[in-house]
Amino acid sequence: MARTFFVGGNFKLNGSKKSIKEIVERLNDASISENVEVVICPPATYLDYTNSLVTKKQVKVGGQNTYTKASGAYTGENSVEQLKDIGVNWTILGHSERRTYFHEDDKLIAEKTKFALDNGVSVILCIGETLDEKKAGITLDVVQKQLNAVIAEVKDWTNVVIAYEPVWAIGTGLAATAEDAQDIHKSIRDFLATKLGKEVAEKTRILYGGSANGANAHTFKDKADVDGFLVGGASLKPEFVDIINSRN
Ligand code: PEP
């Protein structure tokens, strides 16, 4: 079945009004296929500003993190209600930097995912193994455990996009090969089929993330289970457009 190609841009804690304006204007001016969904995720401070600049219909804006409560005494947190209030309907959740530096565990990520979805915000759900876990040969165990936590909470996966991001590939310049990514993506899809049924598995987009760039994106082009990318560093650069257009 045809799944719409999806490219997320995770700006992480980078950018300024000036640089974000340049990035968005580049996307607005670019020739981008009609059949691609792009979601750019600037730091929370710039969400409203970024959203006000986007004119391209294929491009949407997303947060990088949301909490399990809509409002209240939760200093420093991000609310899905407030995202929606400014017209933002996507968020990344479970990024490895949140899991590592902010000690977010599978249960919290699952609860955040459920809360976002229940309140109308779509989720780019990040999963992936560390280098030690890869070396130990437990990649599939790790991603299945991460997914199981979310499967226990979330029954409707329509608005979930999975980003398989091997931690060892994020920000290192060492991307997984397209062949290795395809193998893992296929295993993830098979796992989703056993847990959620074949139809859900076939419909769910699985992105690859980890040092994707303008030069390597096209090598994933013919990989049946790679439905797009979550891009960090390269999403800040002109080559982001090449990644978006890598399926053309
Ligand atoms: C990311 O932050 O999700 C990511 C994939 O980063 P990079 O593309 O820089 O490896």
Side-chain angles (χ1 to χ4, degrees):
M1 81 158 291
R3 293 176 289 267
T4 304
F5 188 58
F6 186 108
V7 181
N10 175 15
F11 296 1
K12 314 193 190 207
L13 194 54
N14 296 303
S16 61
K17 284 183 85 167
K18 182 172 180 291
S19 69
I20 287 174
K21 188 163 189 281
E22 282 167 13
I23 292 167
V24 176
E25 283 178 351
R26 196 153 55 227
L27 292 173
N28 287 340
D29 293 345
S31 166
I32 292 179
S33 156
E34 290 292 313
N35 297 323
V36 61
E37 226 179 316
V38 178
V39 176
I40 50 172
C41 304
T45 312
Y46 296 115
L47 277 166
D48 198 22
Y49 174 66
T50 306
N51 208 28
S52 74
L53 296 172
V54 173
T55 57
K56 199 81 161 179
K57 79 172 187 321
Q58 299 94 319
V59 179
K60 300 280 181 281
V61 174
Q64 296 177 9
N65 178 38
T66 55
Y67 194 46
T68 58
K69 300 282 190 298
S71 63
Y74 304 103
T75 303
E77 279 299 345
N78 301 302
S79 158
V80 291
E81 284 303 328
Q82 291 166 354
L83 283 194
K84 284 192 303 183
D85 192 34
I86 61 166
V88 168
N89 299 302
W90 278 95
T91 188
I92 295 171
L93 287 173
H95 193 280
S96 76
E97 288 150 19
R98 299 292 319 170
R99 292 177 188 264
T100 306
Y101 304 136
F102 303 97
H103 312 293
E104 293 191 6
D105 62 15
D106 291 342
K107 187 165 182 297
L108 177 62
I109 291 159
E111 287 167 2
K112 288 180 171 198
T113 304
K114 178 172 167 42
F115 192 78
L117 295 169
D118 285 352
N119 290 283
V121 170
S122 301
V123 174
I124 302 170
L125 172 68
C126 302
I127 57 172
E129 83 286 5
T130 64
L131 185 57
D132 284 348
E133 289 162 343
K134 177 182 161 64
K135 284 182 181 160
I138 57 169
T139 294
L140 288 182
D141 299 323
V142 171
V143 296
Q144 288 177 4
K145 180 172 164 290
Q146 291 168 335
L147 285 170
N148 266 334
V150 182
I151 288 166
E153 295 281 345
V154 171
K155 298 304 156 213
D156 182 354
W157 282 63
T158 313
N159 296 318
V160 180
V161 171
I162 294 171
Y164 167 63
E165 300 207 300
V167 180
W168 47 268
I170 297 177
T172 59
L174 294 171
T177 65
E179 289 68 28
D180 286 350
Q182 166 59 24
D183 282 353
I184 310 274
H185 284 218
K186 169 87 171 59
S187 302
I188 290 171
R189 200 177 305 286
D190 290 346
F191 179 71
L192 292 179
T194 62
K195 292 285 178 165
L196 298 166
K198 200 164 168 12
E199 198 185 326
V200 174
E202 282 303 312
K203 280 189 180 152
T204 304
R205 275 138 345 147
I206 306 175
L207 317 179
Y208 168 74
S211 298
N213 59 36
N216 62 25
H218 72 93
T219 64
F220 295 76
K221 191 173 173 165
D222 62 348
K223 300 301 176 221
D225 292 290
V226 180
D227 304 311
F229 300 97
L230 181 57
V231 184
S235 67
L236 302 165
K237 302 178 186 166
E239 65 190 285
F240 190 47
V241 173
D242 300 327
I243 301 172
I244 292 168
N245 285 330
S246 64
R247 278 288 152 99
N248 296 348

